[in-house]
């Protein structure tokens, strides 16, 4: 441990070992890697090995803290309102918290109720109650969840091939969680509860400081995701169990067709909004990695053309500075994500000239040579012409500072997964995008799943810095997630993930994703239309993606 050798008796828990080393860490130790495998603290030492500690500030520890806080909240709610039939549905992540709604009761979410709920949670945390893990057969788990009225989990495990299920128990309250937990309630010291929309948000502490910061809602993003989730509920597919049921009973083709029709209708409505606005010349599109920006841009352009407009794609990548002029990050590597990696002055000069009706030769960036080139790509805007500009800085006004606000229409696109694992386990939107990217990178860039996972944290940091702060400034937020897509991506992603060596640092994440994909029944891609957004990742698109 930490480069030194220590001796402990066989059967010692990792929690006992962690206590001896806690003084060396600012944040509480949450989990350990033992011989490269992630372990909960209540597991015991059975053989010689190497220990690496994981705190609540590290990614696996952050997730474990949040899951444990959700279990604590469920137990506290059951203590307060369980006799009235009250339950809770844990829905999407919003800001620094998790949005939840009460179920099975007409109890209103009030400040008083949340105050009582928070007080009960803190009392349970002060009691430092142990959280036990029970390993049961899948058949036993299905029966248990049926008895508990947890129908989402009953259906989820009804389609599970794994023979065993881990169930967590807190003072008589039992539930299943997708991922590891902390060993006791005493680890969950910081949280808060706040009313929002039709429910409430369970706020989590900042991983670095341990302090719960003020909730800053992303109202537009939240509304978009809730609208998508309610559409899934209307289709009878709000969670993985219901999706699997639709696949098993032969309903999935109708659901695919309805989902694609719904997305096409939303793109058409968006085109109508842009056309009706009249004065828009620049459609600025931005979104995080693997959101389907390219396919979306093509499909939007088709709808705009059908309305008599003449859309022209302008990739911001063509305005990259020559490679040697690109800024470097703190590690000395080229920082292609920052705004300064683009020739902002030239972009504004060209766009302003086009807006004034001038004929302009636009650049093309050669990624092989790392230099900007001019290849006779001339453009001049007429009354019906409109530019579709796609890039991560599209919503940042510093990029297009010289263009009048009324000439721009800003679109934020992201894959906001509307599907849940079950009533208490939301499906992380970042997992869906990561799986999209693994499949696409292997197909188009010959990049292994191991390489994609290795750089994912860096990609996410760039998104947090350069994309997410501007999402609420968008005129329109478009959700590119498809209800059925993970069941399709599963076929392509699993072989790539299985190819990651067990001794690789990325294996832990690969194993987690494989476990996640194991929830899904697979859907063959033959009947998915060639203009579908999912084709951008699996191949076979009618667009040049």
């Amino acid at each position: 441990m930490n480069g030194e050798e220590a001796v402990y008796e066989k059967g010692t828990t990792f929690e006992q070992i962690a206590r001896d080393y806690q003084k060396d860490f600012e944040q509480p130790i949450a989990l350990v890697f033992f011989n490269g495998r992630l372990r909960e603290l209540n597991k015991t030492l059975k053989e010689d090995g190497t220990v690496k500690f994981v705190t609540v500030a590290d990614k696996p520890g952050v997730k474990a803290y949040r899951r444990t806080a959700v279990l604590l909240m469920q137990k506290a709610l059951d203590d307060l309102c369980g006799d009235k039939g009250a339950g809770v549905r844990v829905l999407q992540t919003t800001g620094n918290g998790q949005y939840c709604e009460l179920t099975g009761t007409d109890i209103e979410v009030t400040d008083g109720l949340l105050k009582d709920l928070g007080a009960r949670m803190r009392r349970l945390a002060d009691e430092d109650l142990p959280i036990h893990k029970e390993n049961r057969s899948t058949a036993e788990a299905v029966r248990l969840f049926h008895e508990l009225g947890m129908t989402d989990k009953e259906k989820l495990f009804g389609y599970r091939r794994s023979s065993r299920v881990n169930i967590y128990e807190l003072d008589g309250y039992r539930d299943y969680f997708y991922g590891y937990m902390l060993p006791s309630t005493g680890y969950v010291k910081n949280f808060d509860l706040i009313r929002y929309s039709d429910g409430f948000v369970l706020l989590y502490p900042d991983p670095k400081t341990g302090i719960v910061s003020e909730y800053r809602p992303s109202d537009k993003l939240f509304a978009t995701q809730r609208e998508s989730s309610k559409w899934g509920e209307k289709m009878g597919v709000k969670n993985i169990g219901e999706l699997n049921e639709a696949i098993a009973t032969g309903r999935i083709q109708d659901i695919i067709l309805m989902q694609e029709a719904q997305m096409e209708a939303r793109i058409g409505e968006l085109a109508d909004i842009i056309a009706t606005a009249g004065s828009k010349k620049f459609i600025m599109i931005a979104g995080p990695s693997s959101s389907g920006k390219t396919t979306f841009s093509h499909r939007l352009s088709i709808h705009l053309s059908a309305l008599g407009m003449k859309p022209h794609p302008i990739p911001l990548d063509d305005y990259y500075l020559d490679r040697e002029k690109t800024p470097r990050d703190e590690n000395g590597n080229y920082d292609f994500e920052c705004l300064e990696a683009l020739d902002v002055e030239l972009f504004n000069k060209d766009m302003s000239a086009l807006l004034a009706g001038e004929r302009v030769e636009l650049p093309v960036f050669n990624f092989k040579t790392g230099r900007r080139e001019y290849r006779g790509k001339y453009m001049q805007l007429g009354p019906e012409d409109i530019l579709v500009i796609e890039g991560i800085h599209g919503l940042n006004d510093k990029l297009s500072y010289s263009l009048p606000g009324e000439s721009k229409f800003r679109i934020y696109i992201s894959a906001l997964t509307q599907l849940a694992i079950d009533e208490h386990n939301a499906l992380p939107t970042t997992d869906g995008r990561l799986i999209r990217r693994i499949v696409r990178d292997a197909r188009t860039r010959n990049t292994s799943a191991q390489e994609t996972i290795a750089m994912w944290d860096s990609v996410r940091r760039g998104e947090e810095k350069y994309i997410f702060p501007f999402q609420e400034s968008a005129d329109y937020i478009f959700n590119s997630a498809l209800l059925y897509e993970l069941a399709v991506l599963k076929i392509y992603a699993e072989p790539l993930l299985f190819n990651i060596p067990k001794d690789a640092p990325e294996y832990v994440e690969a194993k987690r994703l494989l476990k996640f994909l194991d929830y899904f029944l697979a859907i063959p891609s033959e009947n998915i239309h060639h203009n579908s957004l999912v084709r951008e990742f699996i191949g076979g698109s009618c667009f040049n993606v």
Side-chain angles (χ1 to χ4, degrees), residues 34-53:
F34 183 68
N35 288 339
R37 297 183 65 186
L38 195 60
R39 288 283 183 261
E40 291 172 314
L41 293 183
N42 52 20
K43 289 287 186 180
T44 59
L45 192 64
K46 296 178 181 178
E47 60 184 355
D48 290 341
T50 301
V51 169
K52 180 183 177 183
F53 295 110

Side-chain angles (χ1 to χ4, degrees), residues 449-502:
Q450 183 177 346
E451 291 171 308
T452 299
I453 291 172
M455 67 182 179
W456 186 243
D457 282 345
S458 175
V459 171
R460 296 278 293 116
R461 284 193 295 272
E463 293 170 352
E464 294 280 354
K465 190 173 182 180
Y466 301 119
I467 299 176
F468 296 154
F470 303 101
Q471 61 194 17
E472 285 294 300
S473 67
D475 299 301
Y476 193 96
I477 293 180
F478 188 87
N479 185 4
S480 69
L482 296 158
L483 276 172
Y484 67 87
E485 67 177 78
L486 284 164
V488 176
L489 291 165
K490 168 190 174 85
I491 298 171
Y492 299 85
E494 283 184 335
L496 302 171
L497 292 166
F498 275 119
N499 196 40
I500 296 179
K502 291 187 177 181

Side-chain angles (χ1 to χ4, degrees), residues 305-339:
S305 298
L307 295 173
M309 305 177 79
K310 296 179 181 178
H312 304 277
I314 302 287
L316 280 176
D317 286 359
D318 282 341
Y319 281 90
Y320 269 131
L321 293 168
D322 289 345
R323 188 73 42 82
E324 66 271 13
K325 297 178 182 178
T326 304
R328 295 182 182 267
D329 62 20
E330 63 275 9
N331 299 317
N333 300 317
Y334 287 122
D335 186 356
F336 297 111
E337 306 291 314
C338 68
L339 181 62

Side-chain angles (χ1 to χ4, degrees), residues 328-382:
R328 295 182 182 267
D329 62 20
E330 63 275 9
N331 299 317
N333 300 317
Y334 287 122
D335 186 356
F336 297 111
E337 306 291 314
C338 68
L339 181 62
E340 292 73 23
L342 298 173
D343 193 334
V344 175
E345 295 300 321
L346 179 63
F347 175 79
N348 280 272
K349 177 177 174 289
D350 287 353
M351 296 304 112
S352 296
L354 286 170
L355 189 61
E358 299 176 23
R359 188 168 182 262
V360 177
E361 184 180 10
L362 300 176
V364 175
F365 193 82
N366 187 326
F367 283 90
K368 291 183 179 179
T369 64
R371 303 187 71 81
R372 186 190 308 144
E373 298 174 354
Y374 285 91
R375 304 174 184 173
K377 183 182 176 182
Y378 286 94
M379 184 173 292
Q380 188 171 17
L381 298 185

